[in-house]
Amino acid sequence: MKLQGKKILICISGGIAAYKINYLIRDFIKKGAEVQVLMTPSAEQFVSKLTLSTLSKNPVYSDFYSENGTWNNHVKLALWADVILMAPCTANTLSKMVHGMCDNLVLATYMSAKCPVFIAPAMDLDMYQHPSTKLNLELAEDFGHHLIPAEDGELASGLSGVGRMAEPETISQIIEDFFNSNRNLEGKTVLITAGPTYEAIDPVRFIGNHSSGKMGFSLAEEAANRGAKVIMISGPSSEKTNHQNIEVHRVTSAKEMFAKVFEYYENADIAIASAAVADYAPKEIAQEKIKKNDDSLTIELVKNPDILKTMGERKTKQFLVGFALETQNEEENAKGKLQKKNLDMIVLNSLRDEGAGFKGTTNKIKILTKSTITEFPLKSKEHVAKDILNFVEDQILK
Ligand code: C5P
């Protein structure tokens, strides 16, 4: 059974979609899960405790105290769960969750939990579109919670739009996928460089590039989802992550990136250099802002340290992955870098391919090892990250 032995705590808040939770519980139980249900006081108006407890085969609580005078221990309930599913999650409960309010059993249990939390919002379309709901959903995602977006359709108000809770089958599938996800990198430490570097010219100017850092952050998220401990060394990038398995170190210049990388390299099992490191930096950084007095300006540049090449030279146990962004003789150049930098594999993207490269949200890659070349179609960077890590896993686990 697909959810055998998994402990799922469902927290129902007061929305009409609460009736659908009956079907969801039945589905979870059929798949072998253990289910406990909590409800907010207002949810009791929408669905019967008797139905929920009969289906879940467990008592259902909505208050800190039961009628027989026993205390419903929210901490114990929270620690029991492998996942908590807030469904349906009303605008009110969502808002209380992200602002630390704790005036009922559901919220106290949520705040005591250490396990992953899934949120399936359900509300009328205008409430779902309201800036405060949007902000609260963003906050919930920033906390690392998993959002199961509301769907488009007919709403209880008679209006039609986005706000319906996702269907029970969809929610069930998402939870199942979560438990069956690949944990092949558990116990491994993955070091990732990401983003551009900025090389200062004077106190206000720098030499940089268009790298967004998105590829590196997608790799970090994917590796962390597969159980790895991830050390991210990122140049200036607006990307962020709140994944608890990812430790982010922000740096500015290539020299700073070099220093940070080698604080962590020795203990890394896999190192992926996706940063677009500037090859040269100004020889001297002007102390004051350079004035535009002359018609031309010459800045002498000196070579930056090659971080990846040094990783190759100092390689012991690390599986080393480089990136190559090329505009001509792509495969030949990538192969040359693979050898020169002592890499185990190199990810090639060509600026001649539309949608590829370091600026946008998609990428088109080829992966080269000493003896193979594998080509992939154009995909989102999240999917490219999966392809790259599948490839790494195949190489290190074979
Ligand atoms: O030689 P080239 O700069 O094209 O190689 C690209 C690869 O080397 C990328 O993986 C990049 O992160 C890495 N690199 C580095 N330090 C540098 C230059 C490039 O780690 N100074």
Side-chain angles (χ1 to χ4, degrees), residues 193 273-279 304-308 321-324 326 337 341:
T193 69
S274 62
V277 184
D279 291 323
N304 267 330
D306 192 322
I307 305 167
L308 182 57
V321 182
F323 273 71
E326 303 293 337
K337 283 176 195 174
K341 302 194 187 197

Side-chain angles (χ1 to χ4, degrees), residues 87-367:
C89 188
T90 57
N92 180 47
T93 291
L94 171 68
S95 168
K96 288 177 172 182
M97 283 166 65
V98 295
H99 292 98
M101 288 180 70
C102 200
D103 61 357
N104 64 41
L105 180 66
V106 161
L107 293 163
T109 309
Y110 157 74
M111 285 195 69
S112 311
K114 294 194 205 153
C115 64
V117 176
F118 287 76
I119 301 174
M123 57 198 81
D124 212 54
L125 77 164
D126 295 318
M127 295 172 83
Y128 198 60
Q129 290 304 329
H130 195 279
S132 69
T133 303
K134 285 187 176 164
L135 192 64
N136 290 340
L137 288 171
E138 266 174 39
L139 280 173
E141 285 198 297
D142 281 354
F143 291 179
H145 299 337
H146 304 261
L147 183 64
I148 306 176
E151 293 175 357
D152 195 351
E154 209 176 295
L155 299 159
S157 61
L159 299 173
S160 190
V162 180
R164 277 164 68 114
M165 187 181 76
E167 290 303 323
E169 308 87 74
T170 310
I171 298 178
S172 176
Q173 190 62 50
I174 288 172
I175 301 286
E176 194 186 311
D177 289 348
F178 171 77
F179 279 118
N180 295 330
S181 65
N182 164 351
R183 304 287 294 169
N184 285 345
L185 295 179
E186 212 140 58
K188 303 264 184 238
T189 300
V190 181
L191 175 70
I192 300 177
T193 69
T197 63
Y198 288 176
E199 311 299 334
I201 297 172
D202 66 16
V204 291
R205 303 179 179 100
F206 60 82
I207 297 174
N209 60 65
H210 292 299
S211 169
S212 64
K214 189 149 182 43
M215 192 67 248
F217 276 79
S218 298
L219 282 162
E221 290 279 335
E222 185 60 26
N225 285 340
R226 294 180 185 202
K229 176 183 175 196
V230 180
I231 312 283
M232 276 290 284
I233 318 286
S234 174
S237 159
S238 56
E239 294 291 317
K240 53 182 185 173
T241 172
N242 281 300
H243 201 298
Q244 57 191 16
N245 290 7
I246 307 177
E247 194 179 301
V248 183
H249 300 267
R250 306 257 176 197
V251 295
T252 305
S253 67
K255 287 196 190 72
E256 283 171 23
M257 187 175 276
F258 185 96
K260 213 27 122 187
V261 160
F262 289 102
E263 276 179 39
Y264 294 95
Y265 182 61
E266 201 179 322
N267 291 326
D269 299 293
I270 299 166
I272 307 178
S274 62
V277 184
D279 291 323
Y280 294 90
K283 188 172 179 194
E284 269 158 39
I285 304 172
Q287 291 302 306
E288 305 297 336
K289 187 179 171 198
I290 299 171
K291 296 281 174 215
K292 50 174 180 299
N293 295 337
D294 302 320
D295 285 343
S296 69
L297 173 70
T298 305
I299 298 171
E300 190 181 349
L301 302 177
V302 289
K303 209 157 195 181
N304 267 330
D306 192 322
I307 305 167
L308 182 57
K309 188 158 176 276
T310 315
M311 285 198 256
E313 286 158 8
R314 299 187 192 175
K315 188 156 84 174
T316 52
K317 60 173 181 173
Q318 297 83 358
F319 185 86
L320 197 51
V321 182
F323 273 71
L325 179 70
E326 303 293 337
T327 52
Q328 55 183 347
N329 300 332
E330 290 91 342
E331 285 182 18
E332 207 180 301
N333 286 335
K335 205 127 210 184
K337 283 176 195 174
L338 184 82
Q339 272 154 12
K340 209 171 78 197
K341 302 194 187 197
N342 192 21
L343 310 180
D344 297 290
M345 69 181 239
I346 191 156
V347 180
L348 164 66
N349 29 146
S350 165
L351 273 190
R352 286 202 288 189
D353 286 327
E354 200 164 326
F358 59 13
K359 223 174 163 182
T361 55
T362 56
N363 207 355
K364 186 170 185 299
I365 59 162
K366 284 183 190 170
I367 295 182

Side-chain angles (χ1 to χ4, degrees), residues 73-91:
N73 185 334
H74 57 92
V75 178
K76 207 166 150 198
L77 280 163
L79 297 181
W80 169 85
D82 292 322
V83 295
I84 291 185
L85 171 63
M86 312 293 296
C89 188
T90 57

